Amino acid sequence: MLGKLFRSKREVELRLEKEILEIEIEKLKNEIRKKDGFLKCKNSLFIEKDNEKKQEKNWEEIEEQLKKYYTENNELREAIKKSEKIISISYLRFNYLIQIERYLYEARFKELAEILKNKGHKFVQNLNEYVIEHLSIEDTLKLELKKKFERFQKLEIAWEIKTQLLKGEKLSKIYSKHRKFTNLMINENKEFISDLDGHNFDILVNKGFSLDDVEELKRIYQDYISKYRIENL
């Protein structure tokens, strides 16, 4: 059912979302520039006035403000990185299965998620109107599930889930026992499983990995792809 998720209509929606996010990103960048200017100005003044004891209290307050702005700027930069990872996707041939318990993470859905898994509906993409309608649950909960599934179809979902849907799981999770490999991939700006598409694992031998290591890394990639990747028809 979700095979049609990214046909022409969905591509238009993604382009519109991209335009909106670009505007928001520009606002964030402007805010960062503004605060960076403040930081430079106040840091300069702080150095000049540091030895003036009569200003000690004022400069302590400024220092706290500097720390606050520094934290806020870091948070803004992280928000920009997160947004750009999504809007950089212009065309998608694949998307990835989302575990039902990850999407129905709220406490009120915990028992429902177990019911669905026991019925063989392990992923959100297994759901449809017929499946939901024939669940033996309270009408209010059924209505909530219908609305939540509709939001999933419209991509009105949390960034973390949307990122997994579009780009797959993070390499740091899939390769949690292979820190050397994930650190290397981070240096190459590869963070998600889809970033490994076309990756030449064999060259890792030249970077200190054994042949057994390389085969294991390949196997983990192939196992994830075969289990969780679905093609947009």
Side-chain angles (χ1 to χ4, degrees):
M1 180 177 179
L2 287 181
K4 300 178 181 178
L5 187 62
F6 297 104
R7 283 188 175 179
S8 58
K9 180 180 177 181
R10 197 59 66 208
E11 290 175 7
V12 170
E13 291 177 355
L14 282 173
R15 283 197 295 272
L16 290 174
E17 183 180 353
K18 177 179 182 294
E19 293 174 3
I20 293 171
L21 286 170
E22 284 175 338
I23 293 173
E24 291 302 315
I25 285 174
E26 190 58 35
K27 288 180 181 178
L28 291 173
K29 287 181 177 177
N30 286 335
E31 188 173 347
I32 285 176
R33 282 193 287 268
K34 212 186 305 182
K35 287 181 178 176
D36 277 343
F38 177 86
L39 289 171
K40 290 176 183 177
C41 176
K42 294 301 182 183
N43 270 321
S44 176
L45 288 173
F46 187 80
I47 293 170
E48 293 175 8
K49 300 292 183 179
D50 189 42
N51 295 323
E52 296 184 14
K53 292 183 179 179
K54 62 181 180 179
Q55 296 290 338
E56 185 175 349
K57 184 176 180 181
N58 290 338
W59 293 114
E60 285 177 357
E61 292 176 356
I62 289 175
E63 185 177 15
E64 288 302 314
Q65 196 170 17
L66 290 173
K67 290 178 181 177
K68 179 182 176 183
Y69 278 160
Y70 178 78
T71 301
E72 289 178 353
N73 274 8
N74 282 342
E75 291 174 351
L76 289 173
R77 288 188 175 96
E78 287 303 313
I80 289 173
K81 287 180 183 178
K82 184 181 289 187
S83 299
E84 288 179 333
K85 284 173 186 174
I86 298 298
I87 66 172
S88 63
I89 302 169
S90 58
Y91 174 77
L92 294 170
R93 182 181 174 188
F94 305 102
N95 58 80
Y96 297 83
L97 294 169
I98 303 296
Q99 297 92 334
I100 197 73
E101 67 272 16
R102 180 159 191 181
Y103 190 56
L104 302 180
Y105 63 88
E106 298 94 335
R108 67 183 183 280
F109 289 129
K110 185 176 181 180
E111 186 176 348
L112 175 57
E114 286 300 316
I115 291 173
L116 288 167
K117 286 168 64 178
N118 290 336
K119 289 181 175 292
H121 309 302
K122 297 180 180 180
F123 306 104
V124 182
Q125 287 92 333
N126 294 144
L127 298 180
N128 55 48
E129 292 181 8
Y130 179 86
V131 169
I132 297 173
E133 191 59 42
H134 286 77
L135 287 171
S136 299
I137 57 177
E138 295 180 2
D139 289 341
T140 53
L141 188 60
K142 186 179 295 186
L143 182 59
E144 280 192 78
L145 179 58
K146 284 182 179 180
K147 290 180 179 179
K148 195 169 177 69
F149 181 59
E150 287 173 2
R151 289 196 294 273
F152 181 84
Q153 291 179 300
K154 296 176 182 177
L155 288 181
E156 296 173 359
I157 51 183
W159 280 111
E160 291 77 11
I161 295 176
K162 184 182 291 188
T163 304
Q164 184 181 349
L165 175 69
L166 303 180
K167 303 198 72 173
E169 189 62 82
K170 283 189 173 184
L171 297 179
S172 58
K173 182 174 181 179
I174 301 172
Y175 290 100
S176 59
K177 297 181 180 179
H178 299 270
R179 184 65 60 85
K180 179 181 176 181
F181 175 69
T182 56
N183 288 339
L184 179 63
M185 292 301 98
I186 288 173
N187 291 336
E188 296 181 9
N189 294 318
K190 294 179 180 180
E191 186 177 356
F192 300 93
I193 192 70
S194 59
D195 296 330
L196 293 183
D197 293 348
H199 181 75
N200 183 1
F201 286 91
D202 293 329
I203 64 173
L204 293 173
V205 174
N206 300 326
K207 298 182 180 182
F209 291 84
S210 69
L211 290 175
D212 288 341
D213 289 336
V214 172
E215 290 304 313
E216 173 70 4
L217 295 170
K218 285 181 183 180
R219 184 192 62 75
I220 293 173
Y221 169 79
Q222 290 297 339
D223 285 351
Y224 183 90
I225 292 301
S226 62
K227 184 175 181 180
Y228 292 104
R229 177 182 279 183
I230 53 179
E231 187 169 1
N232 296 320
L233 302 177

